[in-house]
PDB file of all heavy atoms in Angstrom:
ATOM      1  N   ASN E 916      69.828  92.651  85.439  1.00  0.00           N
ATOM      2  CA  ASN E 916      69.177  93.443  84.414  1.00  0.00           C
ATOM      3  C   ASN E 916      69.917  94.716  84.078  1.00  0.00           C
ATOM      4  O   ASN E 916      69.354  95.799  83.891  1.00  0.00           O
ATOM      5  CB  ASN E 916      67.730  93.782  84.846  1.00  0.00           C
ATOM      6  CG  ASN E 916      66.884  92.542  85.085  1.00  0.00           C
ATOM      7  OD1 ASN E 916      67.038  91.534  84.406  1.00  0.00           O
ATOM      8  ND2 ASN E 916      65.998  92.632  86.069  1.00  0.00           N
ATOM      9  N   GLY E 917      71.251  94.577  84.023  1.00  0.00           N
ATOM     10  CA  GLY E 917      72.060  95.721  83.675  1.00  0.00           C
ATOM     11  C   GLY E 917      72.412  96.652  84.809  1.00  0.00           C
ATOM     12  O   GLY E 917      73.118  97.627  84.626  1.00  0.00           O
ATOM     13  N   HIS E 918      71.892  96.407  86.015  1.00  0.00           N
ATOM     14  CA  HIS E 918      72.175  97.233  87.189  1.00  0.00           C
ATOM     15  C   HIS E 918      73.042  96.434  88.148  1.00  0.00           C
ATOM     16  O   HIS E 918      72.756  95.298  88.463  1.00  0.00           O
ATOM     17  CB  HIS E 918      70.868  97.668  87.886  1.00  0.00           C
ATOM     18  CG  HIS E 918      69.964  98.469  87.015  1.00  0.00           C
ATOM     19  ND1 HIS E 918      70.171  99.829  86.761  1.00  0.00           N
ATOM     20  CD2 HIS E 918      68.810  98.140  86.326  1.00  0.00           C
ATOM     21  CE1 HIS E 918      69.223 100.284  85.963  1.00  0.00           C
ATOM     22  NE2 HIS E 918      68.391  99.301  85.675  1.00  0.00           N
ATOM     23  N   ILE E 919      74.112  97.061  88.609  1.00  0.00           N
ATOM     24  CA  ILE E 919      75.021  96.454  89.541  1.00  0.00           C
ATOM     25  C   ILE E 919      74.538  96.665  90.948  1.00  0.00           C
ATOM     26  O   ILE E 919      74.378  97.807  91.414  1.00  0.00           O
ATOM     27  CB  ILE E 919      76.459  97.004  89.384  1.00  0.00           C
ATOM     28  CG1 ILE E 919      76.973  96.689  87.957  1.00  0.00           C
ATOM     29  CG2 ILE E 919      77.391  96.405  90.420  1.00  0.00           C
ATOM     30  CD1 ILE E 919      78.352  97.248  87.702  1.00  0.00           C
ATOM     31  N   THR E 920      74.287  95.570  91.694  1.00  0.00           N
ATOM     32  CA  THR E 920      73.803  95.642  93.051  1.00  0.00           C
ATOM     33  C   THR E 920      74.705  94.851  93.959  1.00  0.00           C
ATOM     34  O   THR E 920      75.565  94.065  93.497  1.00  0.00           O
ATOM     35  CB  THR E 920      72.354  95.129  93.167  1.00  0.00           C
ATOM     36  OG1 THR E 920      72.313  93.770  92.713  1.00  0.00           O
ATOM     37  CG2 THR E 920      71.421  96.015  92.330  1.00  0.00           C
ATOM     38  N   LEU E 921      74.497  94.978  95.258  1.00  0.00           N
ATOM     39  CA  LEU E 921      75.309  94.251  96.240  1.00  0.00           C
ATOM     40  C   LEU E 921      74.870  92.832  96.336  1.00  0.00           C
ATOM     41  O   LEU E 921      73.670  92.525  96.460  1.00  0.00           O
ATOM     42  CB  LEU E 921      75.205  94.942  97.597  1.00  0.00           C
ATOM     43  CG  LEU E 921      76.007  94.325  98.741  1.00  0.00           C
ATOM     44  CD1 LEU E 921      77.507  94.426  98.493  1.00  0.00           C
ATOM     45  CD2 LEU E 921      75.648  94.968 100.095  1.00  0.00           C
ATOM     46  N   LYS E 922      75.835  91.912  96.277  1.00  0.00           N
ATOM     47  CA  LYS E 922      75.546  90.507  96.407  1.00  0.00           C
ATOM     48  C   LYS E 922      75.151  90.214  97.873  1.00  0.00           C
ATOM     49  O   LYS E 922      75.787  90.708  98.805  1.00  0.00           O
ATOM     50  CB  LYS E 922      76.765  89.652  96.025  1.00  0.00           C
ATOM     51  CG  LYS E 922      76.524  88.159  96.050  1.00  0.00           C
ATOM     52  CD  LYS E 922      77.821  87.414  95.788  1.00  0.00           C
ATOM     53  CE  LYS E 922      78.366  87.726  94.420  1.00  0.00           C
ATOM     54  NZ  LYS E 922      79.571  86.916  94.105  1.00  0.00           N
ATOM     55  N   GLN E 923      74.130  89.368  98.001  1.00  0.00           N
ATOM     56  CA  GLN E 923      73.632  89.070  99.353  1.00  0.00           C
ATOM     57  C   GLN E 923      74.693  88.291 100.131  1.00  0.00           C
ATOM     58  O   GLN E 923      75.232  87.298  99.646  1.00  0.00           O
ATOM     59  CB  GLN E 923      72.327  88.268  99.253  1.00  0.00           C
ATOM     60  CG  GLN E 923      71.649  88.033 100.612  1.00  0.00           C
ATOM     61  CD  GLN E 923      70.328  87.328 100.454  1.00  0.00           C
ATOM     62  OE1 GLN E 923      69.935  86.974  99.338  1.00  0.00           O
ATOM     63  NE2 GLN E 923      69.618  87.145 101.568  1.00  0.00           N
ATOM     64  N   GLY E 924      74.948  88.742 101.359  1.00  0.00           N
ATOM     65  CA  GLY E 924      75.922  88.056 102.211  1.00  0.00           C
ATOM     66  C   GLY E 924      77.383  88.343 101.827  1.00  0.00           C
ATOM     67  O   GLY E 924      78.290  87.634 102.304  1.00  0.00           O
ATOM     68  N   ALA E 925      77.624  89.346 100.989  1.00  0.00           N
ATOM     69  CA  ALA E 925      78.983  89.628 100.549  1.00  0.00           C
ATOM     70  C   ALA E 925      79.789  90.260 101.687  1.00  0.00           C
ATOM     71  O   ALA E 925      79.276  90.929 102.568  1.00  0.00           O
ATOM     72  CB  ALA E 925      78.955  90.577  99.348  1.00  0.00           C
ATOM     73  N   ASP E 926      81.103  89.988 101.644  1.00  0.00           N
ATOM     74  CA  ASP E 926      82.031  90.557 102.647  1.00  0.00           C
ATOM     75  C   ASP E 926      82.359  91.981 102.228  1.00  0.00           C
ATOM     76  O   ASP E 926      83.337  92.217 101.492  1.00  0.00           O
ATOM     77  CB  ASP E 926      83.286  89.672 102.721  1.00  0.00           C
ATOM     78  CG  ASP E 926      84.241  90.161 103.808  1.00  0.00           C
ATOM     79  OD1 ASP E 926      83.795  90.885 104.718  1.00  0.00           O
ATOM     80  OD2 ASP E 926      85.440  89.797 103.737  1.00  0.00           O
ATOM     81  N   SER E 927      81.534  92.916 102.677  1.00  0.00           N
ATOM     82  CA  SER E 927      81.697  94.298 102.246  1.00  0.00           C
ATOM     83  C   SER E 927      81.530  95.254 103.387  1.00  0.00           C
ATOM     84  O   SER E 927      81.017  94.888 104.469  1.00  0.00           O
ATOM     85  CB  SER E 927      80.633  94.651 101.170  1.00  0.00           C
ATOM     86  OG  SER E 927      79.326  94.536 101.722  1.00  0.00           O
ATOM     87  N   GLY E 928      82.008  96.493 103.228  1.00  0.00           N
ATOM     88  CA  GLY E 928      81.851  97.577 104.184  1.00  0.00           C
ATOM     89  C   GLY E 928      81.148  98.737 103.558  1.00  0.00           C
ATOM     90  O   GLY E 928      81.044  98.850 102.316  1.00  0.00           O
ATOM     91  N   GLN E 929      80.640  99.626 104.384  1.00  0.00           N
ATOM     92  CA  GLN E 929      79.864 100.770 103.903  1.00  0.00           C
ATOM     93  C   GLN E 929      80.646 102.069 104.163  1.00  0.00           C
ATOM     94  O   GLN E 929      81.137 102.287 105.261  1.00  0.00           O
ATOM     95  CB  GLN E 929      78.510 100.862 104.606  1.00  0.00           C
ATOM     96  CG  GLN E 929      77.615  99.659 104.348  1.00  0.00           C
ATOM     97  CD  GLN E 929      76.281  99.731 105.067  1.00  0.00           C
ATOM     98  OE1 GLN E 929      76.113 100.568 105.940  1.00  0.00           O
ATOM     99  NE2 GLN E 929      75.352  98.847 104.691  1.00  0.00           N
ATOM    100  N   ILE E 930      80.732 102.889 103.121  1.00  0.00           N
ATOM    101  CA  ILE E 930      81.475 104.148 103.197  1.00  0.00           C
ATOM    102  C   ILE E 930      80.643 105.244 102.521  1.00  0.00           C
ATOM    103  O   ILE E 930      79.660 104.949 101.818  1.00  0.00           O
ATOM    104  CB  ILE E 930      82.878 104.049 102.540  1.00  0.00           C
ATOM    105  CG1 ILE E 930      82.719 103.647 101.090  1.00  0.00           C
ATOM    106  CG2 ILE E 930      83.771 103.093 103.300  1.00  0.00           C
ATOM    107  CD1 ILE E 930      84.046 103.601 100.331  1.00  0.00           C
ATOM    108  N   SER E 931      81.025 106.454 102.752  1.00  0.00           N
ATOM    109  CA  SER E 931      80.335 107.588 102.153  1.00  0.00           C
ATOM    110  C   SER E 931      80.793 107.831 100.717  1.00  0.00           C
ATOM    111  O   SER E 931      81.774 107.242 100.243  1.00  0.00           O
ATOM    112  CB  SER E 931      80.571 108.862 102.979  1.00  0.00           C
ATOM    113  OG  SER E 931      81.938 109.233 102.900  1.00  0.00           O
TER     114      SER E 931
END
Side-chain angles (χ1 to χ4, degrees):
N916 300 324
H918 298 283
I919 298 178
T920 59
L921 180 66
K922 183 186 298 184
Q923 187 175 3
D926 184 20
S927 63
Q929 297 179 348
I930 58 177
S931 65

